[in-house]
Amino acid sequence: MKKKVFYIALFCFCSVIVTSNAQVLRSDLTLLKGAPSLYAEEYVDPYWDLAWHGKVASYGDPDSQFLVAQIYEQGKLVPKDLKKALEYYKKAAEQNHLESCMKLGGIYSENKWVKEDMEQSLFWYHRAAERDYVPAQIQLSHLLEKQKKYAEAFDWMAKAMRQLFPSESDLTRVSPDLERLMQLKGQTP
């Protein structure tokens, strides 16, 4: 009799553990199936979306980190927190999320909410530009031109234009910026 009660108790105990673990796994699978986009027409509950992306961002997903950063920057669903926004942008950018790199480059060059830091700005634009991201290449070219680094600015603008117009033989016809940089490059001491 004692043996029978022991086995029944053991069975109940094990089934509780298995059931609770199965529920956690089931909820994680439900979480990972996907969430509606903040910009989709069928978007219904922005707070659920924020919670979902917040959880996925904590697992290190750069797209969700970028989205959570935007939410903190805008301050529509949560109180505006630029420090947290910057933190999430950096986490995503460190994983080579190109839009986050662009955002950080803009934040540091335009003195949005941090002290203006051209070195940081150049670093983040350069990181995205190296991965053939045309908007970053163009922006990097403009910043380098402001610093009078015309040869380097010309190279980045030419690289961007070659990607945008691969069949064009004379890129200066499609880009007045490239033509101007070519002239400035010739004047560089």
Side-chain angles (χ1 to χ4, degrees):
M1 180 71 173
K2 287 181 184 178
K3 211 176 199 183
K4 194 176 199 180
V5 171
F6 172 76
Y7 285 124
I8 291 172
L10 182 63
F11 176 77
C12 291
F13 178 73
C14 290
S15 65
V16 167
I17 291 173
V18 169
T19 305
S20 65
N21 284 343
Q23 289 171 350
V24 169
L25 292 175
R26 195 175 307 121
S27 67
D28 285 346
L29 288 175
T30 304
L31 177 72
L32 295 174
K33 281 184 184 174
S37 167
L38 277 176
Y39 309 107
E41 292 173 12
E42 75 275 358
Y43 184 63
V44 178
D45 186 358
Y47 294 102
W48 180 86
D49 198 42
L50 174 61
W52 188 87
H53 282 290
K55 176 118 173 147
V56 176
S58 71
Y59 288 135
D61 179 65
D63 292 324
S64 289
Q65 290 169 338
F66 178 72
L67 185 62
V68 170
Q70 287 181 315
I71 290 169
Y72 278 115
E73 179 184 2
Q74 295 166 359
K76 291 181 182 173
L77 300 176
V78 296
K80 195 173 199 173
D81 189 341
L82 300 178
K83 209 176 228 185
K84 276 190 177 180
L86 188 65
E87 177 185 322
Y88 277 104
Y89 280 132
K90 280 185 179 180
K91 285 180 182 180
E94 287 167 356
Q95 297 180 63
N96 298 320
H97 187 270
L98 300 176
E99 291 173 280
S100 294
C101 291
M102 283 291 294
K103 189 68 174 182
L104 285 173
I107 289 169
Y108 284 111
S109 67
E110 297 165 11
N111 193 13
K112 283 191 175 174
W113 353 296
V114 294
K115 184 181 174 199
E116 189 173 309
D117 186 347
M118 272 307 152
E119 291 303 314
Q120 280 289 320
S121 181
L122 286 170
F123 172 80
W124 292 113
Y125 281 135
H126 197 270
R127 191 168 185 158
E130 285 177 331
R131 285 158 183 80
D132 295 330
Y133 192 55
V134 173
Q137 293 169 338
I138 293 170
Q139 199 62 30
L140 180 60
S141 175
H142 290 305
L143 281 180
L144 290 167
E145 182 181 358
K146 285 180 185 175
Q147 295 183 338
K148 300 185 188 315
K149 297 179 180 178
Y150 301 122
E152 197 176 347
F154 173 81
D155 292 342
W156 282 112
M157 185 61 76
K159 188 172 184 177
M161 292 302 118
R162 266 189 238 106
Q163 288 182 71
L164 290 173
F165 305 100
S167 61
E168 187 67 44
S169 58
D170 182 16
L171 292 174
T172 57
R173 286 188 351 193
V174 295
S175 173
D177 287 336
L178 193 60
E179 188 174 1
R180 184 186 70 253
L181 286 169
M182 186 182 288
Q183 291 170 357
L184 291 171
K185 181 180 163 186
Q187 296 173 6
T188 305

